Amino acid sequence: MKAITSVFLASALLLASCGKDGDSETQLDGKPVLSARVQAETRSRIEFARHVKPILEERCVWCHDGSDKKMPYKLTNREEAFKNKRIVPGKPNQSLFYLAASGQHPTLKMPAVGIKIAPSDLEVLERWISAGAVWPEGAAGQLKGR
Ligand code: HEC
């Protein structure tokens, strides 16, 4: 079992190091967190708990959960996530959160290391911010890393 894991890790690293540009060195393509059927629902309605939370918990919060004191950004609740206009409701392209996750920011490419967000999941995040970035207060809006 251990040997299989090492072989997998070695090939993952090898694949990652074959990236065409420096930015992809430590990033691997990821599968969508949302199924195609669930993703399709977001064309007519977006629910934080069903459509947004699973993506963030799988792809972002395990780093941005506040356990690393040096980490500048906590994505575990609404207040922290929206601080310093990192999420600007209605304006994905002015939201550092979205620019970083979509690779459009000149230097900030998220995730810093690991599995990249799939294009269909990214589309959901864009729709969600465009539609007003509704993120409930209280327990419903509490996220935890995987
Ligand atoms: C492997 C850990 C990791 C993952 C996963 C990750 N990040 Fe980050 N993130 C970092 C680190 C480290 C920094 C600080 C790096 C820097 O400032 O260059 C950072 C910085 C950021 C910042 C800038 C915060 C600020 O104001 O300085 C944003 C926004 C961000 N991440 C969003 C995201 C989003 C959205 C996701 C999910 C798609 C994500 N991150 C996934 C590690 C991670």
Side-chain angles (χ1 to χ4, degrees):
M1 197 54 205
K2 224 172 160 194
I4 294 173
T5 313
S6 331
V7 169
F8 172 76
L9 275 177
S11 36
L13 285 172
L14 193 68
L15 272 173
S17 62
C18 291
K20 278 181 255 20
D21 54 49
D23 293 323
S24 59
E25 237 171 50
T26 50
Q27 290 194 343
L28 299 169
D29 285 335
K31 274 204 213 145
V33 171
L34 302 187
S35 70
R37 189 176 55 80
V38 174
Q39 201 262 356
E41 293 170 2
T42 66
R43 290 179 193 284
S44 48
R45 68 184 167 99
I46 301 203
E47 264 174 56
F48 181 80
R50 183 168 167 81
H51 303 123
V52 178
K53 189 175 170 182
I55 302 177
L56 298 187
E57 289 191 331
E58 191 64 35
R59 295 283 180 250
C60 314
V61 184
W62 62 279
C63 283
H64 292 277
D65 63 356
S67 57
D68 180 350
K69 296 283 168 264
K70 292 184 301 250
M71 177 68 73
Y73 188 30
K74 247 172 99 176
L75 260 172
T76 45
N77 62 62
R78 182 182 202 286
E79 200 197 337
E80 296 282 344
F82 282 56
K83 246 182 208 166
N84 298 331
K85 300 195 171 169
R86 288 179 185 121
I87 298 177
V88 184
K91 301 198 163 77
N93 291 321
Q94 289 175 28
S95 305
L96 188 59
F97 166 98
Y98 181 74
L99 294 173
S102 62
Q104 290 178 60
H105 190 275
T107 52
L108 203 58
K109 312 278 181 197
M110 283 297 128
V113 195
I115 302 184
K116 263 195 293 191
I117 195 159
S120 61
D121 288 337
L122 192 63
E123 202 180 311
V124 170
L125 296 184
E126 199 219 346
R127 265 185 210 144
W128 168 67
I129 298 177
S130 297
V134 175
W135 184 321
E137 308 272 351
Q142 285 290 333
L143 306 195
K144 50 182 182 341
R146 56 189 169 147

Short mmCIF file of all heavy atoms in Angstrom, two decimals, residues 25-75:
data_model
loop_
_atom_site.label_atom_id
_atom_site.label_comp_id
_atom_site.label_asym_id
_atom_site.label_seq_id
_atom_site.Cartn_x
_atom_site.Cartn_y
_atom_site.Cartn_z
N GLU A 25 3.82 24.67 -11.69
CA GLU A 25 4.78 23.74 -11.10
C GLU A 25 4.21 22.91 -9.96
O GLU A 25 4.45 21.72 -9.87
CB GLU A 25 5.96 24.53 -10.56
CG GLU A 25 7.27 24.07 -11.17
CD GLU A 25 8.40 24.99 -10.78
OE1 GLU A 25 8.55 25.27 -9.59
OE2 GLU A 25 9.11 25.42 -11.70
N THR A 26 3.46 23.55 -9.10
CA THR A 26 2.97 22.84 -7.93
C THR A 26 1.46 22.68 -7.96
O THR A 26 0.84 22.46 -6.95
CB THR A 26 3.39 23.58 -6.66
OG1 THR A 26 3.04 24.94 -6.81
CG2 THR A 26 4.87 23.46 -6.41
N GLN A 27 0.86 22.82 -9.13
CA GLN A 27 -0.59 22.68 -9.21
C GLN A 27 -0.97 21.52 -10.13
O GLN A 27 -0.37 21.31 -11.16
CB GLN A 27 -1.21 23.95 -9.78
CG GLN A 27 -1.13 25.12 -8.81
CD GLN A 27 -2.04 26.25 -9.22
OE1 GLN A 27 -2.49 26.31 -10.36
NE2 GLN A 27 -2.30 27.14 -8.31
N LEU A 28 -1.98 20.78 -9.71
CA LEU A 28 -2.47 19.67 -10.52
C LEU A 28 -3.91 19.95 -10.90
O LEU A 28 -4.64 20.56 -10.14
CB LEU A 28 -2.42 18.38 -9.70
CG LEU A 28 -1.04 17.95 -9.22
CD1 LEU A 28 -1.15 16.84 -8.20
CD2 LEU A 28 -0.17 17.52 -10.38
N ASP A 29 -4.32 19.49 -12.08
CA ASP A 29 -5.70 19.70 -12.48
C ASP A 29 -6.62 18.89 -11.58
O ASP A 29 -6.33 17.74 -11.26
CB ASP A 29 -5.90 19.26 -13.94
CG ASP A 29 -5.31 20.29 -14.89
OD1 ASP A 29 -5.20 21.47 -14.47
OD2 ASP A 29 -4.94 19.92 -16.01
N GLY A 30 -7.71 19.50 -11.20
CA GLY A 30 -8.63 18.81 -10.30
C GLY A 30 -9.94 18.48 -10.98
O GLY A 30 -10.36 19.16 -11.90
N LYS A 31 -10.58 17.43 -10.48
CA LYS A 31 -11.92 17.08 -10.97
C LYS A 31 -12.92 18.06 -10.38
O LYS A 31 -12.71 18.56 -9.27
CB LYS A 31 -12.29 15.69 -10.45
CG LYS A 31 -11.82 14.57 -11.29
CD LYS A 31 -12.74 13.38 -10.99
CE LYS A 31 -12.02 12.09 -11.08
NZ LYS A 31 -12.45 11.09 -10.13
N PRO A 32 -14.05 18.31 -11.08
CA PRO A 32 -15.06 19.19 -10.48
C PRO A 32 -15.57 18.61 -9.16
O PRO A 32 -15.74 17.40 -9.04
CB PRO A 32 -16.19 19.18 -11.52
CG PRO A 32 -15.59 18.69 -12.78
CD PRO A 32 -14.41 17.82 -12.41
N VAL A 33 -15.79 19.49 -8.20
CA VAL A 33 -16.37 19.07 -6.93
C VAL A 33 -17.87 18.82 -7.14
O VAL A 33 -18.43 17.86 -6.62
CB VAL A 33 -16.12 20.14 -5.84
CG1 VAL A 33 -16.90 19.83 -4.58
CG2 VAL A 33 -14.63 20.23 -5.54
N LEU A 34 -18.52 19.68 -7.93
CA LEU A 34 -19.96 19.51 -8.19
C LEU A 34 -20.16 18.62 -9.42
O LEU A 34 -19.46 18.77 -10.42
CB LEU A 34 -20.62 20.87 -8.47
CG LEU A 34 -20.52 21.95 -7.39
CD1 LEU A 34 -21.38 23.14 -7.78
CD2 LEU A 34 -20.94 21.43 -6.03
N SER A 35 -21.14 17.74 -9.35
CA SER A 35 -21.47 16.92 -10.51
C SER A 35 -22.08 17.82 -11.59
O SER A 35 -22.55 18.93 -11.29
CB SER A 35 -22.49 15.85 -10.13
OG SER A 35 -23.73 16.47 -9.87
N ALA A 36 -22.10 17.36 -12.83
CA ALA A 36 -22.64 18.16 -13.93
C ALA A 36 -24.10 18.54 -13.65
O ALA A 36 -24.54 19.65 -13.94
CB ALA A 36 -22.53 17.38 -15.23
N ARG A 37 -24.83 17.61 -13.02
CA ARG A 37 -26.25 17.87 -12.75
C ARG A 37 -26.41 18.99 -11.72
O ARG A 37 -27.20 19.91 -11.89
CB ARG A 37 -26.90 16.57 -12.24
CG ARG A 37 -28.40 16.63 -12.12
CD ARG A 37 -28.96 15.28 -11.69
NE ARG A 37 -28.36 14.79 -10.46
CZ ARG A 37 -28.70 15.21 -9.24
NH1 ARG A 37 -29.67 16.10 -9.10
NH2 ARG A 37 -28.11 14.74 -8.18
N VAL A 38 -25.63 18.91 -10.67
CA VAL A 38 -25.72 19.94 -9.62
C VAL A 38 -25.20 21.29 -10.17
O VAL A 38 -25.77 22.34 -9.90
CB VAL A 38 -24.94 19.51 -8.36
CG1 VAL A 38 -24.90 20.62 -7.33
CG2 VAL A 38 -25.58 18.26 -7.75
N GLN A 39 -24.16 21.20 -10.97
CA GLN A 39 -23.61 22.43 -11.57
C GLN A 39 -24.67 23.13 -12.42
O GLN A 39 -24.80 24.34 -12.39
CB GLN A 39 -22.39 22.06 -12.42
CG GLN A 39 -21.44 23.21 -12.68
CD GLN A 39 -21.65 23.86 -14.03
OE1 GLN A 39 -22.47 23.41 -14.82
NE2 GLN A 39 -20.92 24.92 -14.28
N ALA A 40 -25.45 22.31 -13.17
CA ALA A 40 -26.47 22.88 -14.07
C ALA A 40 -27.54 23.66 -13.31
O ALA A 40 -28.07 24.65 -13.82
CB ALA A 40 -27.10 21.76 -14.90
N GLU A 41 -27.83 23.24 -12.08
CA GLU A 41 -28.85 23.94 -11.28
C GLU A 41 -28.49 25.41 -11.08
O GLU A 41 -29.36 26.26 -10.93
CB GLU A 41 -28.95 23.32 -9.88
CG GLU A 41 -29.47 21.92 -9.83
CD GLU A 41 -29.30 21.32 -8.43
OE1 GLU A 41 -28.80 22.01 -7.51
OE2 GLU A 41 -29.66 20.15 -8.26
N THR A 42 -27.18 25.69 -11.06
CA THR A 42 -26.75 27.05 -10.72
C THR A 42 -27.07 28.05 -11.82
O THR A 42 -26.88 29.24 -11.63
CB THR A 42 -25.24 27.09 -10.40
OG1 THR A 42 -24.50 26.78 -11.58
CG2 THR A 42 -24.88 26.12 -9.29
N ARG A 43 -27.55 27.55 -12.96
CA ARG A 43 -27.98 28.49 -14.01
C ARG A 43 -29.26 29.21 -13.60
O ARG A 43 -29.52 30.32 -14.02
CB ARG A 43 -28.23 27.75 -15.32
CG ARG A 43 -26.96 27.26 -15.95
CD ARG A 43 -27.20 26.51 -17.24
NE ARG A 43 -26.00 25.81 -17.63
CZ ARG A 43 -24.94 26.40 -18.18
NH1 ARG A 43 -24.95 27.69 -18.45
NH2 ARG A 43 -23.86 25.70 -18.47
N SER A 44 -30.07 28.52 -12.78
CA SER A 44 -31.33 29.17 -12.38
C SER A 44 -31.33 29.62 -10.92
O SER A 44 -32.03 30.56 -10.56
CB SER A 44 -32.51 28.24 -12.65
OG SER A 44 -32.24 26.97 -12.15
N ARG A 45 -30.57 28.96 -10.06
CA ARG A 45 -30.55 29.38 -8.65
C ARG A 45 -29.22 28.97 -8.05
O ARG A 45 -28.65 27.95 -8.44
CB ARG A 45 -31.70 28.72 -7.87
CG ARG A 45 -31.51 27.23 -7.73
CD ARG A 45 -32.67 26.53 -7.03
NE ARG A 45 -32.53 25.09 -7.21
CZ ARG A 45 -32.02 24.27 -6.30
NH1 ARG A 45 -31.63 24.72 -5.14
NH2 ARG A 45 -31.89 22.99 -6.53
N ILE A 46 -28.73 29.76 -7.12
CA ILE A 46 -27.52 29.36 -6.42
C ILE A 46 -27.78 29.37 -4.93
O ILE A 46 -28.26 30.33 -4.37
CB ILE A 46 -26.34 30.30 -6.75
CG1 ILE A 46 -26.07 30.27 -8.25
CG2 ILE A 46 -25.09 29.88 -5.96
CD1 ILE A 46 -24.68 30.66 -8.67
N GLU A 47 -27.51 28.21 -4.32
CA GLU A 47 -27.67 28.09 -2.88
C GLU A 47 -26.29 27.89 -2.29
O GLU A 47 -25.56 26.98 -2.70
CB GLU A 47 -28.45 26.81 -2.58
CG GLU A 47 -29.92 26.98 -2.38
CD GLU A 47 -30.55 25.60 -2.24
OE1 GLU A 47 -30.13 24.81 -1.37
OE2 GLU A 47 -31.44 25.30 -3.06
N PHE A 48 -25.96 28.70 -1.32
CA PHE A 48 -24.62 28.64 -0.73
C PHE A 48 -24.27 27.22 -0.25
O PHE A 48 -23.25 26.66 -0.63
CB PHE A 48 -24.50 29.63 0.43
CG PHE A 48 -23.14 29.63 1.06
CD1 PHE A 48 -22.09 30.31 0.46
CD2 PHE A 48 -22.90 28.93 2.23
CE1 PHE A 48 -20.82 30.30 1.03
CE2 PHE A 48 -21.63 28.92 2.80
CZ PHE A 48 -20.60 29.60 2.19
N ALA A 49 -25.18 26.62 0.55
CA ALA A 49 -24.86 25.34 1.17
C ALA A 49 -24.68 24.22 0.14
O ALA A 49 -23.84 23.35 0.30
CB ALA A 49 -25.95 24.95 2.16
N ARG A 50 -25.48 24.27 -0.92
CA ARG A 50 -25.47 23.18 -1.88
C ARG A 50 -24.41 23.37 -2.97
O ARG A 50 -23.81 22.42 -3.45
CB ARG A 50 -26.87 23.07 -2.52
CG ARG A 50 -27.03 21.94 -3.49
CD ARG A 50 -28.49 21.74 -3.82
NE ARG A 50 -28.67 20.87 -4.97
CZ ARG A 50 -28.61 19.54 -4.91
NH1 ARG A 50 -28.36 18.95 -3.78
NH2 ARG A 50 -28.79 18.82 -6.02
N HIS A 51 -24.19 24.61 -3.38
CA HIS A 51 -23.35 24.83 -4.56
C HIS A 51 -21.98 25.44 -4.27
O HIS A 51 -21.03 25.16 -4.99
CB HIS A 51 -24.10 25.74 -5.55
CG HIS A 51 -25.42 25.18 -5.97
ND1 HIS A 51 -26.61 25.84 -5.82
CD2 HIS A 51 -25.74 23.97 -6.53
CE1 HIS A 51 -27.61 25.10 -6.27
NE2 HIS A 51 -27.11 23.95 -6.69
N VAL A 52 -21.89 26.26 -3.24
CA VAL A 52 -20.64 27.00 -3.03
C VAL A 52 -19.78 26.36 -1.94
O VAL A 52 -18.58 26.12 -2.12
CB VAL A 52 -20.94 28.48 -2.69
CG1 VAL A 52 -19.67 29.26 -2.42
CG2 VAL A 52 -21.74 29.11 -3.83
N LYS A 53 -20.44 26.07 -0.82
CA LYS A 53 -19.72 25.51 0.33
C LYS A 53 -18.87 24.26 -0.01
O LYS A 53 -17.71 24.19 0.38
CB LYS A 53 -20.76 25.20 1.42
CG LYS A 53 -20.20 24.81 2.74
CD LYS A 53 -21.35 24.66 3.74
CE LYS A 53 -20.82 24.03 5.01
NZ LYS A 53 -21.85 23.79 6.00
N PRO A 54 -19.44 23.29 -0.76
CA PRO A 54 -18.62 22.10 -1.04
C PRO A 54 -17.35 22.42 -1.82
O PRO A 54 -16.30 21.83 -1.57
CB PRO A 54 -19.54 21.19 -1.89
CG PRO A 54 -20.90 21.78 -1.83
CD PRO A 54 -20.80 23.18 -1.33
N ILE A 55 -17.42 23.37 -2.72
CA ILE A 55 -16.24 23.73 -3.51
C ILE A 55 -15.19 24.36 -2.60
O ILE A 55 -14.02 23.99 -2.62
CB ILE A 55 -16.60 24.71 -4.66
CG1 ILE A 55 -17.66 24.10 -5.58
CG2 ILE A 55 -15.35 25.10 -5.45
CD1 ILE A 55 -18.12 25.04 -6.69
N LEU A 56 -15.63 25.31 -1.80
CA LEU A 56 -14.67 26.00 -0.92
C LEU A 56 -14.06 25.04 0.09
O LEU A 56 -12.86 25.09 0.35
CB LEU A 56 -15.35 27.18 -0.21
CG LEU A 56 -15.89 28.27 -1.12
CD1 LEU A 56 -16.38 29.45 -0.30
CD2 LEU A 56 -14.85 28.74 -2.12
N GLU A 57 -14.89 24.17 0.65
CA GLU A 57 -14.36 23.25 1.66
C GLU A 57 -13.36 22.28 1.04
O GLU A 57 -12.35 21.95 1.65
CB GLU A 57 -15.50 22.50 2.37
CG GLU A 57 -16.28 23.45 3.28
CD GLU A 57 -17.25 22.76 4.21
OE1 GLU A 57 -17.75 21.68 3.87
OE2 GLU A 57 -17.51 23.31 5.30
N GLU A 58 -13.60 21.88 -0.16
CA GLU A 58 -12.71 20.91 -0.81
C GLU A 58 -11.43 21.57 -1.35
O GLU A 58 -10.35 20.99 -1.30
CB GLU A 58 -13.48 20.23 -1.96
CG GLU A 58 -12.79 19.03 -2.57
CD GLU A 58 -12.62 17.87 -1.59
OE1 GLU A 58 -13.50 17.66 -0.73
OE2 GLU A 58 -11.60 17.19 -1.69
N ARG A 59 -11.56 22.79 -1.87
CA ARG A 59 -10.43 23.37 -2.59
C ARG A 59 -9.70 24.51 -1.89
O ARG A 59 -8.60 24.85 -2.29
CB ARG A 59 -10.91 23.88 -3.97
CG ARG A 59 -11.40 22.80 -4.91
CD ARG A 59 -10.23 22.05 -5.52
NE ARG A 59 -10.70 21.00 -6.41
CZ ARG A 59 -10.59 19.70 -6.14
NH1 ARG A 59 -10.03 19.30 -5.02
NH2 ARG A 59 -11.05 18.81 -6.98
N CYS A 60 -10.31 25.13 -0.91
CA CYS A 60 -9.70 26.33 -0.33
C CYS A 60 -9.54 26.29 1.18
O CYS A 60 -8.49 26.66 1.71
CB CYS A 60 -10.52 27.57 -0.67
SG CYS A 60 -11.03 27.70 -2.39
N VAL A 61 -10.59 25.86 1.89
CA VAL A 61 -10.62 26.08 3.34
C VAL A 61 -9.60 25.24 4.09
O VAL A 61 -9.15 25.63 5.17
CB VAL A 61 -12.05 25.85 3.89
CG1 VAL A 61 -12.11 26.17 5.38
CG2 VAL A 61 -13.05 26.73 3.16
N TRP A 62 -9.19 24.12 3.53
CA TRP A 62 -8.22 23.30 4.28
C TRP A 62 -6.90 24.05 4.46
O TRP A 62 -6.16 23.75 5.38
CB TRP A 62 -8.01 21.93 3.63
CG TRP A 62 -7.46 21.94 2.24
CD1 TRP A 62 -8.15 22.16 1.09
CD2 TRP A 62 -6.10 21.71 1.85
NE1 TRP A 62 -7.28 22.09 0.01
CE2 TRP A 62 -6.04 21.80 0.45
CE3 TRP A 62 -4.93 21.41 2.57
CZ2 TRP A 62 -4.86 21.63 -0.27
CZ3 TRP A 62 -3.75 21.23 1.84
CH2 TRP A 62 -3.72 21.34 0.44
N CYS A 63 -6.62 25.03 3.65
CA CYS A 63 -5.48 25.93 3.91
C CYS A 63 -5.93 27.18 4.65
O CYS A 63 -5.30 27.61 5.59
CB CYS A 63 -4.81 26.36 2.62
SG CYS A 63 -3.76 25.09 1.90
N HIS A 64 -7.05 27.75 4.20
CA HIS A 64 -7.51 29.03 4.75
C HIS A 64 -8.47 28.83 5.92
O HIS A 64 -9.56 29.37 5.93
CB HIS A 64 -8.20 29.85 3.65
CG HIS A 64 -7.26 30.32 2.59
ND1 HIS A 64 -6.50 31.45 2.72
CD2 HIS A 64 -6.94 29.80 1.38
CE1 HIS A 64 -5.75 31.62 1.64
NE2 HIS A 64 -5.99 30.63 0.80
N ASP A 65 -8.05 28.01 6.91
CA ASP A 65 -8.96 27.75 8.03
C ASP A 65 -8.50 28.44 9.31
O ASP A 65 -9.08 28.22 10.38
CB ASP A 65 -9.10 26.24 8.27
CG ASP A 65 -7.78 25.60 8.67
OD1 ASP A 65 -6.74 26.30 8.69
OD2 ASP A 65 -7.78 24.39 8.96
N GLY A 66 -7.46 29.25 9.21
CA GLY A 66 -7.01 29.99 10.38
C GLY A 66 -6.05 29.23 11.27
O GLY A 66 -5.54 29.77 12.24
N SER A 67 -5.79 27.94 10.95
CA SER A 67 -4.89 27.18 11.83
C SER A 67 -3.43 27.61 11.65
O SER A 67 -2.63 27.47 12.56
CB SER A 67 -5.04 25.67 11.59
OG SER A 67 -4.80 25.37 10.24
N ASP A 68 -3.11 28.16 10.49
CA ASP A 68 -1.77 28.69 10.27
C ASP A 68 -1.82 30.20 10.51
O ASP A 68 -2.45 30.94 9.77
CB ASP A 68 -1.33 28.39 8.83
CG ASP A 68 0.07 28.91 8.53
OD1 ASP A 68 0.62 29.67 9.36
OD2 ASP A 68 0.61 28.56 7.46
N LYS A 69 -1.18 30.62 11.57
CA LYS A 69 -1.27 32.03 11.98
C LYS A 69 -0.66 32.97 10.94
O LYS A 69 -0.97 34.16 10.90
CB LYS A 69 -0.57 32.24 13.33
CG LYS A 69 -1.24 31.48 14.47
CD LYS A 69 -2.53 32.16 14.93
CE LYS A 69 -3.36 31.29 15.83
NZ LYS A 69 -4.44 30.54 15.22
N LYS A 70 0.22 32.44 10.11
CA LYS A 70 0.87 33.30 9.10
C LYS A 70 -0.04 33.53 7.89
O LYS A 70 0.20 34.40 7.08
CB LYS A 70 2.19 32.67 8.63
CG LYS A 70 3.25 32.65 9.74
CD LYS A 70 4.57 32.11 9.24
CE LYS A 70 4.43 30.72 8.70
NZ LYS A 70 4.99 29.61 9.39
N MET A 71 -1.06 32.70 7.78
CA MET A 71 -1.96 32.79 6.63
C MET A 71 -2.81 34.06 6.72
O MET A 71 -3.50 34.27 7.70
CB MET A 71 -2.83 31.54 6.60
CG MET A 71 -3.85 31.52 5.50
SD MET A 71 -3.09 31.39 3.90
CE MET A 71 -2.59 29.68 3.96
N PRO A 72 -2.77 34.90 5.68
CA PRO A 72 -3.45 36.18 5.77
C PRO A 72 -4.98 36.10 5.66
O PRO A 72 -5.68 37.05 5.98
CB PRO A 72 -2.90 36.95 4.57
CG PRO A 72 -2.50 35.90 3.59
CD PRO A 72 -2.07 34.72 4.41
N TYR A 73 -5.52 34.99 5.23
CA TYR A 73 -6.91 34.99 4.83
C TYR A 73 -7.64 33.77 5.38
O TYR A 73 -7.28 32.64 5.09
CB TYR A 73 -6.96 34.98 3.30
CG TYR A 73 -8.31 35.16 2.67
CD1 TYR A 73 -9.30 35.92 3.30
CD2 TYR A 73 -8.59 34.61 1.43
CE1 TYR A 73 -10.52 36.11 2.69
CE2 TYR A 73 -9.81 34.80 0.81
CZ TYR A 73 -10.78 35.54 1.45
OH TYR A 73 -11.99 35.72 0.83
N LYS A 74 -8.70 34.05 6.18
CA LYS A 74 -9.52 32.96 6.70
C LYS A 74 -10.80 32.88 5.89
O LYS A 74 -11.48 33.90 5.70
CB LYS A 74 -9.88 33.26 8.16
CG LYS A 74 -9.25 32.31 9.13
CD LYS A 74 -9.46 32.77 10.55
CE LYS A 74 -10.61 32.04 11.19
NZ LYS A 74 -10.76 32.41 12.62
N LEU A 75 -11.12 31.69 5.42
CA LEU A 75 -12.33 31.54 4.60
C LEU A 75 -13.39 30.72 5.34
O LEU A 75 -14.14 29.98 4.72
CB LEU A 75 -11.95 30.80 3.31
CG LEU A 75 -11.75 31.64 2.05
CD1 LEU A 75 -11.20 30.78 0.92
CD2 LEU A 75 -13.04 32.30 1.61
#
